[in-house]
Amino acid sequence: MGAQRSNGGNVRRLLIVDDEPGVQDVLRFAFKETCEVAVAASADAALDLLVRWPADLVLLDLVMPGRSGLDLLRELSERPARPPVIVLSALGTVSTAVEAMRLGALDYVTKPFEIDALRIKVEHALVRRELEREVERLRFEVHGRTRLGRLIGQSARMQEVFRTLERAAASKATVLVLGESGTGKELVARALHELSPRREAPFVALSCAALPETLIESELFGHERGAFTDAREKKIGRFEAASGGTLFLDEIGELSTTVQAKLLRALQERSIERLGGSGPIPVDVRVVAATHRDLEREVEAGRFREDLFYRIHVLPIGLPPLRERREDIRLLAESHLSRAKAAGERGPDRLTATALAALERYDWPGNVRELENALDRALALAEGEAIDLGDLPEAVVRAERLERLREEIRGGRLTLPEAIARFERECLEEALEAAAGNQTRAAERLGLTRRLMKLTMDRHGIGE
Ligand SMILES: Nc1ncnc2c1ncn2[C@@H]1O[C@H](COP(=O)(O)OP(=O)(O)OP(=O)(O)O)[C@@H](O)[C@H]1O
Ligand SMILES: [Mg+2]
C-alpha cells in the first residue's frame, strides 16, 4: 500500500480506460506500484466508475467500441469535479489530438507508447494535481479564516451563524445583527464585508449611540459649506464615504425618529442629500445595522419606526449569548491568551483546569467582551505559570464557590443548613466589601434592617 501513496500521504487514483485487454495489463502493471489502479473497458463503464471512485488522473483510449474517448471527454467537461485526462491513441492524427485538447485533455500520447515516457507524463500530471489541491486548501484556509476575521466558535449555534453569514455576504440586502452586548456584532459586520464582493471597497462604521442627534445627521449624510453655523467646510458623510462598500450602523436602536425617517428614505431611494441641500446624490452602499435592543419591542413602544424596522430586518443574524454556547469558552479563552502572548503581553498563556472550569461555568452577562476583560486582568495579576482561579474576577470566583456548595450538598458532604450558613457569610462579606465597610449601606444592599445586619454579623463572628 505504501507504494501507492505520494509524499503527501494521499492515495493517487489512476483510471485506465481502454477496451484492449493487452493494453490494460501493460498499464496496470506499469502503475500498480505508484497508484491505486482501476480499469474500465468502455466510456460508459468509466463514467459510472468515476461517480463512486474519483480518479486523480485518467488514461483514455480514443477508439473504443460504443462511445468514443472524445465522447467521454465531452461528457466529463460538463461535470463539476473533472479529473485530468491523458489521451492515448493509435490514430495519432493531429486533428484528433487538437480536438481532445480542446475538450480539456491535459496531454496526448500516441500508441505504441514508450512506457517510461508515459510514466514521466503521469507523474507530472499527478504532482500537478496534488499542487492544485494544496493551493485550493490554502486558499480556503486563508480566505475562509481571515475573512471571518477573529470570529471563532465551534458550537452548533456559531456554525449556524457562519453559514448564514456566508449566504448573507453574497447578497446586497441590508443585514441586521442582533445580540447582547459583547457577543461579536461588530466582528460579524466586518466579516460580512470581508466575505462580500465589496471587500475591496471601504468599510465605514458609525455608532449611533455615541453622538447627539444634530451631529448624527451630518455624520451620516454630510453637509454643504454654510449649512449651519459651524459648517465652515463642505463635509462628506459616512454614506458617501462608504460608496461601493459597506456602512455599519451600530446601535441603530438609539436613533431618534427624525433621523430614522431620513435613514429610511436613503435606504429606499438609494440616494442621500447633504445638509444644506445638494440635491440627491446616488449612493451604492450595503448597510449592516446592529443593536442590542429588542427592536420589535421598540416598534411596539413607538420608539422605532415600523417601516424602517421591516426595511432593515431583511436578513437578521442573531448572535447567541456566550452562556448558551459554553463549549466555545475554552476556544475563545485560549485564542485570546495566545494572541496576548504573540502581542508580547506579560503573563502566562495557559489556564489551570480549575480556572477553566470556573470560566466555563460562569454566566458572562457581558459575553465575549467580559471574558476577554477577565483574562486581561488575570494576565496582569497572575504570578504562576498558569492563570488560576484566584486570578479571575470576584464574580467568577463567587459563582464557582456557589456551584461547589451545590455540588457538596448533592454529594452529601454538606447539609443544607451548613451550606446556607456559608452562603450567608459570603453574602455578608461581599456586601461589606462593596460598601467599603459601611454597615448601614451593606445592610441596605442586602435588604436587612441595621439591627438584623448586626445580629447576623455577630452570628458569623464578623466585625468583632
Ligand atoms: N465569536 C467571537 N470570536 C472571537 N472573538 C469574539 C467573538 N465575539 C466577540 N469577540 C470579541 O469580543 C469583543 C466584543 O466584540 P464586539 O465588539 O464585536 O461585540 P458587540 O456585540 O459589538 O458588543 P457591543 O454591543 O458591546 O458593542 C471583541 O474584542 C471581539 O473581538
Ligand atoms: Mg459593538
Side-chain angles (χ1 to χ4, degrees):
M1 276 307 280
Q4 291 173 6
R5 288 163 194 277
S6 71
N7 296 337
N10 297 314
V11 176
R12 316 157 106 195
R13 293 176 156 165
L14 178 68
L15 174 62
I16 294 158
V17 190
D18 199 306
D19 60 309
E20 279 174 59
V23 179
Q24 288 175 3
D25 288 346
V26 168
L27 290 175
R28 202 200 308 264
F29 185 78
F31 293 105
K32 73 172 202 280
E33 295 292 310
T34 51
C35 299
E36 201 180 305
V37 181
V39 175
S42 71
D44 287 328
L47 284 167
D48 281 351
L49 185 64
L50 281 172
V51 176
R52 288 173 282 118
W53 195 83
D56 296 303
L57 181 64
V58 178
L59 294 183
L60 175 66
D61 185 20
L62 282 185
V63 189
M64 291 179 290
R67 289 204 283 168
S68 75
L70 284 182
D71 291 335
L72 176 64
L73 267 178
R74 217 168 274 124
E75 180 120 8
L76 278 183
S77 68
E78 280 158 23
R79 290 196 181 183
R82 164 170 57 118
V85 176
I86 295 179
V87 163
L88 314 168
S89 179
L91 285 179
T93 63
V94 174
S95 65
T96 333
V98 170
E99 179 64 5
M101 303 295 270
R102 202 182 58 77
L103 288 169
L106 185 68
D107 210 338
Y108 189 85
V109 180
T110 46
K111 284 181 180 175
F113 41 79
E114 281 243 8
I115 201 70
D116 282 336
L118 182 61
R119 271 212 186 96
I120 290 170
K121 288 199 181 212
V122 165
E123 185 60 27
H124 282 174
L126 286 171
V127 166
R128 181 178 145 151
R129 177 80 167 167
E130 275 150 22
L131 287 176
E132 279 170 0
R133 284 245 173 83
E134 184 68 3
V135 169
E136 222 171 277
R137 194 183 61 75
L138 290 173
R139 187 178 288 148
F140 177 80
E141 282 216 342
V142 171
H143 297 312
R145 290 238 179 101
T146 61
R147 288 207 181 133
L148 277 178
R150 278 164 44 202
L151 265 181
I152 46 182
Q154 52 188 198
S155 58
R157 301 279 299 271
M158 283 311 280
Q159 292 297 320
E160 179 64 37
V161 165
F162 297 156
R163 279 194 293 275
T164 315
L165 211 149
E166 272 167 22
R167 260 182 282 128
S171 104
K172 232 180 141 175
T174 302
V175 173
L176 180 61
V177 190
L178 298 161
E180 290 177 13
S181 168
T183 46
K185 296 187 292 295
E186 177 149 3
L187 283 191
V188 164
R190 287 181 189 278
L192 270 168
H193 177 71
E194 287 304 317
L195 286 164
S196 80
R198 299 170 166 256
R199 71 183 70 94
E200 307 291 341
F203 173 89
V204 177
L206 178 68
S207 170
C208 306
L211 297 166
E213 184 184 340
T214 44
L215 267 182
I216 284 245
E217 271 187 57
S218 82
E219 280 300 325
L220 277 175
F221 308 116
H223 57 70
E224 296 294 341
R225 189 166 168 230
F228 45 87
T229 329
D230 285 340
R232 282 183 211 101
E233 298 293 340
K234 176 179 104 171
K235 182 185 153 94
I236 298 290
R238 304 285 169 108
F239 257 99
E240 276 181 84
S243 184
T246 307
L247 175 62
F248 174 46
L249 297 178
D250 202 0
E251 301 301 352
I252 196 166
E254 315 307 306
L255 282 183
S256 73
T257 39
T258 330
V259 183
Q260 286 174 30
K262 294 200 173 179
L263 177 60
L264 178 66
R265 196 169 336 122
L267 290 176
Q268 270 167 350
E269 287 164 20
R270 300 194 172 279
S271 71
I272 55 112
E273 198 160 338
R274 297 188 195 129
L275 298 187
S278 52
I281 302 169
V283 282
D284 168 31
V285 168
R286 199 278 171 91
V287 171
V288 178
T291 179
H292 69 279
R293 289 190 190 274
D294 179 345
L295 272 194
E296 263 156 296
R297 184 136 20 102
E298 296 297 294
V299 170
E300 275 164 31
R303 284 187 295 264
F304 202 83
R305 291 181 65 114
E306 194 175 8
D307 44 11
L308 179 59
F309 172 74
Y310 286 116
R311 184 73 220 183
I312 62 175
H313 199 262
V314 188
L315 279 173
I317 297 183
L319 291 177
L322 193 51
R323 64 185 166 282
E324 287 174 20
R325 50 178 186 110
R326 292 181 192 273
E327 60 269 49
D328 287 342
I329 290 176
R330 178 190 200 134
L331 195 69
L332 285 164
E334 284 171 354
S335 112
H336 188 74
L337 291 180
S338 44
R339 197 144 24 87
K341 181 100 182 173
E345 300 284 332
R346 76 167 290 273
D349 59 355
R350 288 191 299 121
L351 295 157
T352 63
T354 328
L356 177 62
L359 292 180
E360 286 179 328
R361 248 198 296 247
Y362 184 62
D363 265 347
W364 301 110
N367 296 296
V368 186
R369 177 174 297 113
E370 187 187 4
L371 172 64
E372 291 183 341
N373 289 343
L375 291 168
D376 288 340
R377 180 180 170 278
L379 279 176
L381 291 178
E383 301 283 351
E385 284 186 4
I387 292 174
D388 206 352
L389 186 60
D391 302 319
L392 298 177
E394 256 309 297
V396 178
V397 176
R398 205 175 302 123
E400 181 64 12
R401 276 207 301 260
L402 254 183
E403 187 52 43
R404 284 193 197 164
L405 273 186
R406 249 180 244 132
E407 269 171 14
E408 283 184 59
I409 297 173
R410 262 186 245 126
R413 293 184 298 279
L414 203 66
T415 65
L416 182 60
E418 284 165 340
I420 291 174
R422 260 228 293 244
F423 178 63
E424 190 176 54
R425 189 195 171 96
E426 278 187 19
C427 291
L428 280 182
E429 283 173 343
E430 183 197 335
L432 281 165
E433 193 186 293
N438 182 322
Q439 294 183 10
T440 312
R441 269 199 289 136
E444 268 168 30
R445 289 178 79 97
L446 293 168
L448 298 179
T449 61
R450 178 75 188 78
R451 205 180 94 77
L452 194 49
M453 174 81 182
K454 183 79 182 84
L455 280 173
T456 321
M457 283 175 64
D458 287 348
R459 193 151 31 83
H460 286 289
I462 299 175
E464 281 172 347

PDB file of all heavy atoms in Angstrom, residues 97-112:
ATOM      1  N   ALA A  97      -5.956  14.878 -31.844  1.00  0.00           N
ATOM      2  CA  ALA A  97      -5.225  15.417 -30.705  1.00  0.00           C
ATOM      3  C   ALA A  97      -5.727  16.802 -30.361  1.00  0.00           C
ATOM      4  O   ALA A  97      -6.019  17.105 -29.203  1.00  0.00           O
ATOM      5  CB  ALA A  97      -3.728  15.472 -31.014  1.00  0.00           C
ATOM      6  N   VAL A  98      -5.857  17.627 -31.373  1.00  0.00           N
ATOM      7  CA  VAL A  98      -6.315  19.002 -31.150  1.00  0.00           C
ATOM      8  C   VAL A  98      -7.715  18.997 -30.551  1.00  0.00           C
ATOM      9  O   VAL A  98      -7.999  19.717 -29.592  1.00  0.00           O
ATOM     10  CB  VAL A  98      -6.295  19.812 -32.476  1.00  0.00           C
ATOM     11  CG1 VAL A  98      -7.004  21.144 -32.306  1.00  0.00           C
ATOM     12  CG2 VAL A  98      -4.859  20.039 -32.920  1.00  0.00           C
ATOM     13  N   GLU A  99      -8.575  18.133 -31.115  1.00  0.00           N
ATOM     14  CA  GLU A  99      -9.941  18.055 -30.615  1.00  0.00           C
ATOM     15  C   GLU A  99      -9.948  17.620 -29.138  1.00  0.00           C
ATOM     16  O   GLU A  99     -10.666  18.195 -28.320  1.00  0.00           O
ATOM     17  CB  GLU A  99     -10.736  17.054 -31.471  1.00  0.00           C
ATOM     18  CG  GLU A  99     -12.182  16.829 -31.060  1.00  0.00           C
ATOM     19  CD  GLU A  99     -13.054  18.078 -31.184  1.00  0.00           C
ATOM     20  OE1 GLU A  99     -12.564  19.101 -31.678  1.00  0.00           O
ATOM     21  OE2 GLU A  99     -14.213  18.015 -30.740  1.00  0.00           O
ATOM     22  N   ALA A 100      -9.099  16.625 -28.795  1.00  0.00           N
ATOM     23  CA  ALA A 100      -9.030  16.145 -27.415  1.00  0.00           C
ATOM     24  C   ALA A 100      -8.558  17.256 -26.479  1.00  0.00           C
ATOM     25  O   ALA A 100      -9.105  17.448 -25.391  1.00  0.00           O
ATOM     26  CB  ALA A 100      -8.099  14.934 -27.320  1.00  0.00           C
ATOM     27  N   MET A 101      -7.540  18.006 -26.913  1.00  0.00           N
ATOM     28  CA  MET A 101      -7.016  19.086 -26.067  1.00  0.00           C
ATOM     29  C   MET A 101      -8.077  20.182 -25.906  1.00  0.00           C
ATOM     30  O   MET A 101      -8.216  20.767 -24.841  1.00  0.00           O
ATOM     31  CB  MET A 101      -5.734  19.691 -26.660  1.00  0.00           C
ATOM     32  CG  MET A 101      -4.610  18.714 -26.893  1.00  0.00           C
ATOM     33  SD  MET A 101      -3.963  17.987 -25.369  1.00  0.00           S
ATOM     34  CE  MET A 101      -2.700  19.171 -24.977  1.00  0.00           C
ATOM     35  N   ARG A 102      -8.788  20.413 -26.987  1.00  0.00           N
ATOM     36  CA  ARG A 102      -9.823  21.442 -26.927  1.00  0.00           C
ATOM     37  C   ARG A 102     -10.906  21.071 -25.919  1.00  0.00           C
ATOM     38  O   ARG A 102     -11.496  21.908 -25.272  1.00  0.00           O
ATOM     39  CB  ARG A 102     -10.437  21.627 -28.324  1.00  0.00           C
ATOM     40  CG  ARG A 102     -11.111  22.974 -28.538  1.00  0.00           C
ATOM     41  CD  ARG A 102     -11.733  23.063 -29.933  1.00  0.00           C
ATOM     42  NE  ARG A 102     -12.713  22.017 -30.183  1.00  0.00           N
ATOM     43  CZ  ARG A 102     -13.955  22.033 -29.687  1.00  0.00           C
ATOM     44  NH1 ARG A 102     -14.357  23.045 -28.965  1.00  0.00           N
ATOM     45  NH2 ARG A 102     -14.785  21.043 -29.933  1.00  0.00           N
ATOM     46  N   LEU A 103     -11.125  19.763 -25.806  1.00  0.00           N
ATOM     47  CA  LEU A 103     -12.140  19.298 -24.866  1.00  0.00           C
ATOM     48  C   LEU A 103     -11.590  19.197 -23.437  1.00  0.00           C
ATOM     49  O   LEU A 103     -12.245  18.682 -22.548  1.00  0.00           O
ATOM     50  CB  LEU A 103     -12.698  17.946 -25.310  1.00  0.00           C
ATOM     51  CG  LEU A 103     -13.612  18.005 -26.531  1.00  0.00           C
ATOM     52  CD1 LEU A 103     -13.910  16.609 -27.060  1.00  0.00           C
ATOM     53  CD2 LEU A 103     -14.911  18.727 -26.196  1.00  0.00           C
ATOM     54  N   GLY A 104     -10.361  19.633 -23.261  1.00  0.00           N
ATOM     55  CA  GLY A 104      -9.838  19.720 -21.896  1.00  0.00           C
ATOM     56  C   GLY A 104      -8.842  18.644 -21.517  1.00  0.00           C
ATOM     57  O   GLY A 104      -8.461  18.545 -20.359  1.00  0.00           O
ATOM     58  N   ALA A 105      -8.388  17.806 -22.499  1.00  0.00           N
ATOM     59  CA  ALA A 105      -7.357  16.822 -22.156  1.00  0.00           C
ATOM     60  C   ALA A 105      -6.069  17.548 -21.799  1.00  0.00           C
ATOM     61  O   ALA A 105      -5.772  18.609 -22.331  1.00  0.00           O
ATOM     62  CB  ALA A 105      -7.121  15.868 -23.319  1.00  0.00           C
ATOM     63  N   LEU A 106      -5.331  16.938 -20.867  1.00  0.00           N
ATOM     64  CA  LEU A 106      -4.116  17.585 -20.372  1.00  0.00           C
ATOM     65  C   LEU A 106      -2.955  17.329 -21.323  1.00  0.00           C
ATOM     66  O   LEU A 106      -2.114  18.181 -21.561  1.00  0.00           O
ATOM     67  CB  LEU A 106      -3.801  16.986 -18.998  1.00  0.00           C
ATOM     68  CG  LEU A 106      -2.661  17.561 -18.198  1.00  0.00           C
ATOM     69  CD1 LEU A 106      -3.007  18.968 -17.763  1.00  0.00           C
ATOM     70  CD2 LEU A 106      -2.386  16.678 -16.997  1.00  0.00           C
ATOM     71  N   ASP A 107      -2.943  16.124 -21.889  1.00  0.00           N
ATOM     72  CA  ASP A 107      -1.792  15.738 -22.709  1.00  0.00           C
ATOM     73  C   ASP A 107      -2.224  14.653 -23.685  1.00  0.00           C
ATOM     74  O   ASP A 107      -3.341  14.138 -23.604  1.00  0.00           O
ATOM     75  CB  ASP A 107      -0.667  15.231 -21.802  1.00  0.00           C
ATOM     76  CG  ASP A 107       0.698  15.519 -22.412  1.00  0.00           C
ATOM     77  OD1 ASP A 107       0.769  15.714 -23.647  1.00  0.00           O
ATOM     78  OD2 ASP A 107       1.676  15.549 -21.660  1.00  0.00           O
ATOM     79  N   TYR A 108      -1.320  14.291 -24.567  1.00  0.00           N
ATOM     80  CA  TYR A 108      -1.647  13.390 -25.654  1.00  0.00           C
ATOM     81  C   TYR A 108      -0.472  12.461 -25.901  1.00  0.00           C
ATOM     82  O   TYR A 108       0.662  12.913 -26.007  1.00  0.00           O
ATOM     83  CB  TYR A 108      -1.921  14.253 -26.895  1.00  0.00           C
ATOM     84  CG  TYR A 108      -2.483  13.521 -28.067  1.00  0.00           C
ATOM     85  CD1 TYR A 108      -3.850  13.315 -28.171  1.00  0.00           C
ATOM     86  CD2 TYR A 108      -1.640  13.059 -29.087  1.00  0.00           C
ATOM     87  CE1 TYR A 108      -4.377  12.650 -29.257  1.00  0.00           C
ATOM     88  CE2 TYR A 108      -2.160  12.392 -30.172  1.00  0.00           C
ATOM     89  CZ  TYR A 108      -3.539  12.186 -30.260  1.00  0.00           C
ATOM     90  OH  TYR A 108      -4.064  11.544 -31.329  1.00  0.00           O
ATOM     91  N   VAL A 109      -0.709  11.126 -25.974  1.00  0.00           N
ATOM     92  CA  VAL A 109       0.364  10.159 -26.225  1.00  0.00           C
ATOM     93  C   VAL A 109      -0.083   9.232 -27.351  1.00  0.00           C
ATOM     94  O   VAL A 109      -1.214   8.769 -27.349  1.00  0.00           O
ATOM     95  CB  VAL A 109       0.648   9.299 -24.970  1.00  0.00           C
ATOM     96  CG1 VAL A 109       1.755   8.297 -25.242  1.00  0.00           C
ATOM     97  CG2 VAL A 109       1.002  10.176 -23.788  1.00  0.00           C
ATOM     98  N   THR A 110       0.838   8.965 -28.284  1.00  0.00           N
ATOM     99  CA  THR A 110       0.438   8.069 -29.386  1.00  0.00           C
ATOM    100  C   THR A 110       0.869   6.642 -29.103  1.00  0.00           C
ATOM    101  O   THR A 110       1.926   6.395 -28.534  1.00  0.00           O
ATOM    102  CB  THR A 110       1.060   8.505 -30.731  1.00  0.00           C
ATOM    103  OG1 THR A 110       2.431   8.782 -30.514  1.00  0.00           O
ATOM    104  CG2 THR A 110       0.367   9.733 -31.276  1.00  0.00           C
ATOM    105  N   LYS A 111       0.016   5.722 -29.485  1.00  0.00           N
ATOM    106  CA  LYS A 111       0.323   4.305 -29.386  1.00  0.00           C
ATOM    107  C   LYS A 111       1.112   3.917 -30.628  1.00  0.00           C
ATOM    108  O   LYS A 111       0.806   4.420 -31.702  1.00  0.00           O
ATOM    109  CB  LYS A 111      -0.950   3.482 -29.347  1.00  0.00           C
ATOM    110  CG  LYS A 111      -1.688   3.502 -28.032  1.00  0.00           C
ATOM    111  CD  LYS A 111      -2.918   2.608 -28.184  1.00  0.00           C
ATOM    112  CE  LYS A 111      -3.759   2.533 -26.947  1.00  0.00           C
ATOM    113  NZ  LYS A 111      -4.997   1.758 -27.200  1.00  0.00           N
ATOM    114  N   PRO A 112       2.047   3.000 -30.553  1.00  0.00           N
ATOM    115  CA  PRO A 112       2.534   2.370 -29.325  1.00  0.00           C
ATOM    116  C   PRO A 112       3.394   3.334 -28.513  1.00  0.00           C
ATOM    117  O   PRO A 112       4.218   4.037 -29.095  1.00  0.00           O
ATOM    118  CB  PRO A 112       3.362   1.193 -29.852  1.00  0.00           C
ATOM    119  CG  PRO A 112       3.826   1.623 -31.209  1.00  0.00           C
ATOM    120  CD  PRO A 112       2.772   2.532 -31.748  1.00  0.00           C
TER     121      PRO A 112
END
